[in-house]
Structures are given as C-alpha cells and as structure tokens.
C-alpha cells in the first residue's frame, strides 16, 4: 500500500511595505470619498439656498409690479376723468394707457419668472410637480470681522473638496510607494 500525505505552508515574512502602502492608499481613497459626499451635500445646500433667494427676489419683483400696475391704473383713471372734463388731452390719456399696459406686461413677466423660480427650487430640492411656496424673509447675517487673509486660510483648511484632493494626492503617493516596493524582494518561508 502506498499512501502519501503532505502539508505545505507558505508564509510571507516581509514585503518591504507593499501591503502597508496599499492599505494606506485604500484608506486615503475612502477618506477622499467621504469628503466627496460632504462636498456634494454642501453643493446641494448651496443650490437650494440660491434657488430660494431667487424665489424671494422674484416674489418681491411681483409685489413691485403689482403696486406699479395699481398706481398706473389710479393715474389713468384720474387722467380719464380729467379728459372727460376736457382738462387733459387724448394724448395724455393714451400715454398713460400705454404705460399701464407696459406695467401689466411686466407683471405677467414677473409672475412667469416667479413660477420658473418655484420650479427651479422644486427641482433643486427634488420635489416633483408644480408647487408654490409661502416664503419667509431672509434674516440679516452679520459679516465676520476677521481679516480676509485669515478667512481665506480657514476656507482652504476646511473646504471638503480641497481636503478630498489632499486625500487623493496621499492615495496616489501611497500607490506609487507600493509600486516602488515591488522592485524590492520579498522574504517568505516555506515548509513541508
């Protein structure tokens, strides 16, 4: 009877940092991906805020256009009364009527732009369908009193996209170090 049994073991003892550099590169890539998530969140918040401010602006323009139409209507009515009493000419009545129609056109345009701003706000927030919102005024924000240079340095230290770029650079350096370590030998033991 012939029987054979065997056991073979192979153990990597030292690889001159290849594995460590690969792990650090993956860690840096994960940190960069986390910073990308923060960047995307910040961009979404910024776009929603910009769309909201545009809606507030357009609402104010609609209010101004409505007030203008009302004022021009009152003036036209006054001039019409004066025209019937022959104190104003037909030309004056026609001019104010043209101004009233122009103000009405501007009101229609402002309302259309407000609907477009509401649609942009809904799209930015991911809401489907036509929605009109009741907007609140924006609070006054005090500007920081720090020097511009210190604010720029702080922004460079805290911006997630810049931090993500630093992590990607670190990841690339670790991948380069891992590739350079491939030129070095590995020490392993084998036993039977």
């Amino acid at each position: 009877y012939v029987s054979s049994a065997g056991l073979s073991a192979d153990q990597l003892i030292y690889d001159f940092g290849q594995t460590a550099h690969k792990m650090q590169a993956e860690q840096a890539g994960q940190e960069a991906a986390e910073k990308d998530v923060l960047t995307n969140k910040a961009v979404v918040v910024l776009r929603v805020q910009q769309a909201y401010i545009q809606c507030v602006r357009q609402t104010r323009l609609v209010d101004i256009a409505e007030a203008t139409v009302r004022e021009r209507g009152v003036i036209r009515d006054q001039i019409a009364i004066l025209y019937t009493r022959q104190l104003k000419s037909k030309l004056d009545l026609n001019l104010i009527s043209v101004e009233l129609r122009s103000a009405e056109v501007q009101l229609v345009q402002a309302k259309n732009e407000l609907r477009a701003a509401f649609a942009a706000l809904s799209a930015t927030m991911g809401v489907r369908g036509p929605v009109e919102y009741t907007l609140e005024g924006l609070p006054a924000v005090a500007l920081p009193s720090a020097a511009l240079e210190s604010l720029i340095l702080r922004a460079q230290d805290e911006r997630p996209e810049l931090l993500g770029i630093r992590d990607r650079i670190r990841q690339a350096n670790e991948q380069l170090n891992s590739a350079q370590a491939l030129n070095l030998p590995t020490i392993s033991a084998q036993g039977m």
Side-chain angles (χ1 to χ4, degrees), residues 31-44 46-47 50 148-169:
E31 290 172 6
E34 291 171 359
K35 304 289 188 325
D36 288 344
V37 168
L38 292 176
T39 300
N40 288 336
K41 283 182 182 178
V43 167
V44 168
L46 175 67
R47 287 183 180 158
Q50 287 175 335
L148 180 62
E149 293 81 20
S150 66
L151 292 174
I152 291 172
L153 291 174
R154 181 176 166 217
Q156 289 174 344
D157 289 339
E158 295 179 9
R159 288 191 58 158
E161 67 270 17
L162 295 178
L163 295 174
I165 290 171
R166 289 180 192 149
D167 288 338
R168 295 216 187 278
I169 291 171

Side-chain angles (χ1 to χ4, degrees), residues 4-58:
S4 66
L7 177 64
S8 174
D10 187 16
Q11 174 64 43
L12 178 65
I13 297 175
Y14 192 66
D15 67 351
F16 293 97
Q18 292 176 28
T19 305
H21 289 301
K22 287 179 183 177
M23 286 177 51
Q24 289 174 356
E26 289 301 317
Q27 212 170 26
Q30 181 182 0
E31 290 172 6
E34 291 171 359
K35 304 289 188 325
D36 288 344
V37 168
L38 292 176
T39 300
N40 288 336
K41 283 182 182 178
V43 167
V44 168
V45 168
L46 175 67
R47 287 183 180 158
V48 168
Q49 287 175 346
Q50 287 175 335
Y52 182 83
I53 290 170
Q54 180 66 17
C55 287
V56 170
R57 178 180 169 270
Q58 284 304 128

